[in-house]
Amino acid sequence: MLHAKRILLVVGGGIAAYKTPELVRQFRKRGAAVTCVMTRAAEEFVAPLALGSVSGAKVYRELFDLTDEAEMGHIQLSRSADLVVVAPATADLMAKMANGHADDLASTLLMATDKRVLIAPAMNVRMWEHPATRRNLRTLEKDGVLVVGPDEGDMACGEYGPGRMSEPPAIVEAAAAALGGGPLAGRRILVTSGPTHEPIDPVRYIANRSSGAQGTALANALRDLGAEVIFVTGPADAPRPQGVQVVEVESAREMLAAVEAALPPQGPAADAAVFAAAVADWRVASASTSKIKKQAGAPAPALEFAENPDILKTVSRWSEGRPPLVIGFAAETDDVEAHASAKRLRKGCDWIVANDVSPATGIMGGTENAVILITAEGAEPWPRLTKTETAQRLARRIADHFAGPGREDRGAEDRGAA
């Protein structure tokens, strides 16, 4: 993975720079050598001496250093690394990268490098959502720049939302994946996410409160561990994960068709499928092709419902093309463990991730989750975590599953249950 790899860490001038000494420490713990480059603004948040101490190497700060530049230091730095990591990648640094500015050491070496670049954005939520930042992000992704995060949460400025720099472990895993490492390298995993919208007429539909945040977080976590991810999503509010194959759908039937297209019996085979989508159980049997008009004095139209396909059960019971590990989600409001355990047997999947979505928990559509992982071995309650942390924990469990000898078909004894 990262053993003997050389990481060039560019530290931008954001409050998240205080996390970079820990990031360096974790890179070195994994066997990587780290060289740090700091912008002038970064020195307002973390001392060069701190980064030099944890990296065990010189920290570079100035473009016009006579000694370094006599040896063409910015060229040497940019070419000698195996991977360039920008953390935190501020809005200013992203703008410089996207538009080819090179007015300091950091931006100059980013222009001069011939290596892959991984950025960990960190900024105020309004700056992250600003059209200029979104435009710069699209440009960088088109240029092949890899992105990890940002996470969602409280900001130093007191606001809340996406813009927090990913935690050091997530950045390290993303770097490992970028270098062809990661415990899920070579694995192909499908993830479904978000709600489905079942039309009543062209302007109305039936849906649920799923935001898609847990599915997006899971796709990111699996990607960061090296997996090739196919992400099939309904019309969710959460931003789509980067660096994965995204398939957009609306209804449950469209989602099933997309899953079948992504997992054809003739291949390429998937190693796992995680069904995190909150698929509607029912649809309107005969949706109107025209807007249903309200008529004064007339009774409300009666809607006749039909049952939607059960995607989890369908895939779990495939005789051909079934992924070795099939994971479902169970959103329950009472008797969570009992209902989810019964669902695992009834559907024929290997694992169920159960959570309590009763209104008092604030989990449905919220930023946190509290789950019970149910397998053939029993039930394992997890503490209440952010959805990002829950996703990372589940991704690591999936990696551990495949790392264990002879465990690819665990749970097969349950697949024939009625």
Side-chain angles (χ1 to χ4, degrees):
M1 284 184 263
L2 289 169
H3 182 70
K5 297 296 185 182
R6 295 163 297 178
I7 304 296
L8 180 61
L9 176 62
V10 178
V11 183
I15 185 64
Y18 82 89
K19 298 180 181 181
T20 52
E22 174 61 15
L23 177 59
V24 172
R25 191 189 69 80
Q26 293 206 22
F27 270 126
R28 295 195 70 193
K29 186 178 179 181
R30 298 279 288 270
V34 183
T35 300
C36 298
V37 172
M38 301 180 68
T39 65
R40 288 187 178 179
E43 296 181 42
E44 300 294 328
F45 301 99
V46 63
L49 180 60
L51 288 175
S53 297
V54 293
S55 67
K58 178 179 178 178
V59 176
Y60 294 84
R61 300 151 62 191
E62 295 293 338
L63 176 60
F64 299 108
D65 183 293
L66 293 179
T67 301
D68 292 336
E69 286 309 301
E71 301 169 356
M72 297 300 288
H74 67 282
I75 300 295
Q76 181 180 357
L77 285 171
S78 69
R79 306 288 172 83
S80 62
D82 295 299
L83 179 71
V84 180
V85 177
V86 185
T90 61
D92 179 63
L93 258 179
M94 289 176 61
K96 286 182 175 181
M97 293 173 66
N99 293 283
H101 292 189
D103 60 357
D104 62 4
L105 179 58
S107 57
T108 299
L109 70 84
L110 285 165
M111 281 284 288
T113 190
D114 59 354
K115 300 300 192 299
R116 300 195 79 180
V117 177
L118 169 70
I119 65 171
M123 64 199 72
N124 170 268
V125 59
R126 301 292 173 237
M127 296 175 73
W128 175 248
E129 294 174 345
H130 194 281
T133 303
R134 310 309 293 174
R135 183 170 61 249
N136 291 335
L137 178 64
R138 289 192 296 271
T139 297
L140 292 173
E141 289 173 338
K142 186 176 179 181
D143 289 345
V145 172
L146 305 173
V147 184
V148 54
D151 295 342
E152 187 174 274
D154 293 315
M155 304 283 178
C157 59
E159 294 189 281
Y160 181 92
R164 287 169 57 96
M165 188 175 83
S166 294
E167 294 301 316
I171 298 173
V172 170
E173 294 297 347
L179 290 168
L184 289 174
R187 300 285 184 180
R188 188 169 184 263
I189 301 177
L190 178 134
V191 177
T192 68
S193 181
T196 61
H197 287 181
E198 309 300 329
I200 297 172
D201 62 21
V203 298
R204 302 179 180 95
Y205 57 83
I206 298 167
N208 57 58
R209 292 186 175 90
S210 172
S211 66
Q214 187 63 83
T216 290
L218 181 58
N220 286 332
L222 293 167
R223 174 208 62 201
D224 291 346
L225 293 185
E228 174 194 349
V229 179
I230 306 98
F231 185 72
V232 180
T233 181
D237 295 331
R240 306 301 184 250
Q242 305 297 325
V244 308
Q245 178 185 339
V246 178
V247 181
E248 303 269 1
V249 300
E250 290 279 337
S251 68
R253 287 181 290 179
E254 290 178 358
M255 183 169 283
L256 176 60
V259 168
E260 290 175 333
L263 305 176
Q266 65 273 18
D271 296 282
V274 186
F275 295 96
V279 181
D281 293 322
W282 305 89
R283 68 179 185 275
V284 176
S286 299
S288 175
T289 57
S290 301
K291 180 181 177 181
I292 300 173
K293 299 290 187 180
K294 181 173 69 173
Q295 298 180 0
L303 298 178
E304 181 181 350
F305 290 92
E307 190 172 355
N308 268 328
D310 189 324
I311 302 173
L312 173 61
K313 186 174 181 179
T314 297
V315 175
S316 294
R317 296 183 180 279
W318 277 351
S319 58
E320 290 184 86
R322 183 197 193 275
L325 181 62
V326 177
I327 303 171
F329 273 62
E332 305 288 350
T333 56
D334 55 81
D335 296 328
V336 175
E337 184 178 328
H339 286 159
S341 296
K343 179 176 181 178
R344 190 185 75 85
L345 295 174
R346 187 172 65 253
K347 304 290 187 180
C349 59
D350 303 304
W351 299 355
I352 283 282
V353 180
N355 56 357
D356 184 348
V357 296
S358 53
T361 67
I363 284 175
M364 181 66 85
T367 60
E368 294 184 328
N369 213 341
V371 309
I372 303 172
L373 178 64
I374 297 172
T375 71
E377 284 74 30
E380 180 186 321
W382 291 359
R384 188 170 179 123
L385 302 166
T386 66
K387 290 184 175 178
T388 296
E389 292 168 330
T390 300
Q392 290 169 347
R393 188 164 180 167
L394 181 58
R396 288 192 294 269
R397 285 299 298 271
I398 292 170
D400 290 344
H401 170 83
F402 287 116
R407 298 175 67 185
E408 287 78 0
D409 289 316
R410 180 167 44 167
E413 68 274 14
D414 300 305
R415 293 175 193 157

